[in-house]
Amino acid sequence: MPDGYPQPVFLDATVISNFASTNSVEFLGYVLESPIVVPAVRDEIEQGVKHGHEYLANAVEAFDSGLAVSDVPPEIGRVSPHKRLDSGEGEAVRGAVERDGTIATDDLAARRLATELDVPVTGSIGLLVLGIKREHIDSETADDY
């Protein structure tokens, strides 16, 4: 697909948090064919709510309605990201590697590791651009997000 990413797209906590902060988490389900949240990322978002970041509550609700939470295979030697990344980004990178997908992250260390592993990478801005290309949002809405 010329204006998309290899599917599925594994979302890290930073990307989800960015969209949650503008109350636009549902956008991720509209713009991506197969968005995936790994359990460690779900846990990070839920911990954020428990620590008083109420804006993340809409992300937690989205896990039941548009953002699938899916386990990734256990580490099998091809990638050992946990030594360089937190658990959420590590699981997301591993999922993208194992399923020939894409990682959506704004974390520099995760982006670097994904690039080393030849895993396609996008981030919050790339997803907004994709949304504009696919006519899910206009540039003014993207600016608001």
Side-chain angles (χ1 to χ4, degrees):
M1 110 184 33
D3 64 347
Y5 304 101
Q7 299 297 311
V9 175
F10 288 82
L11 304 168
D12 83 350
T14 305
V15 168
I16 294 170
S17 175
N18 286 343
F19 284 93
S21 72
T22 60
N23 203 27
S24 56
V25 173
E26 69 282 347
F27 167 80
L28 298 169
Y30 298 138
V31 76
L32 297 170
E33 293 88 24
S34 303
I36 300 284
V37 177
V38 294
V41 167
R42 178 202 56 216
D43 294 346
E44 289 175 11
I45 297 295
E46 289 174 347
Q47 283 296 322
V49 172
K50 289 179 185 175
H51 286 106
H53 302 286
E54 291 300 320
Y55 71 94
L56 295 172
N58 64 43
V60 173
E61 292 170 12
F63 298 150
D64 295 326
S65 63
L67 298 181
V69 177
S70 177
D71 288 327
V72 294
E75 202 172 294
I76 59 171
R78 287 192 345 180
V79 59
S80 184
H82 71 278
K83 295 175 184 165
R84 294 168 61 180
L85 306 175
D86 72 21
S87 60
E89 278 117 7
E91 274 189 19
V93 169
R94 195 168 71 247
V97 167
E98 296 299 327
R99 295 189 188 164
D100 296 320
T102 300
I103 182 165
T105 182
D106 294 332
D107 181 86
L108 183 57
R111 293 176 78 89
R112 285 181 175 158
L113 179 59
T115 299
E116 289 174 22
L117 297 169
D118 294 320
V119 171
V121 179
T122 191
S124 298
I125 300 298
L127 295 173
L128 291 170
V129 170
L130 182 62
I132 293 168
K133 285 181 179 179
R134 292 189 174 170
E135 300 180 347
H136 290 288
I137 57 173
D138 57 30
S139 59
E140 291 80 22
T141 301
D143 285 344
D144 288 342
Y145 288 177

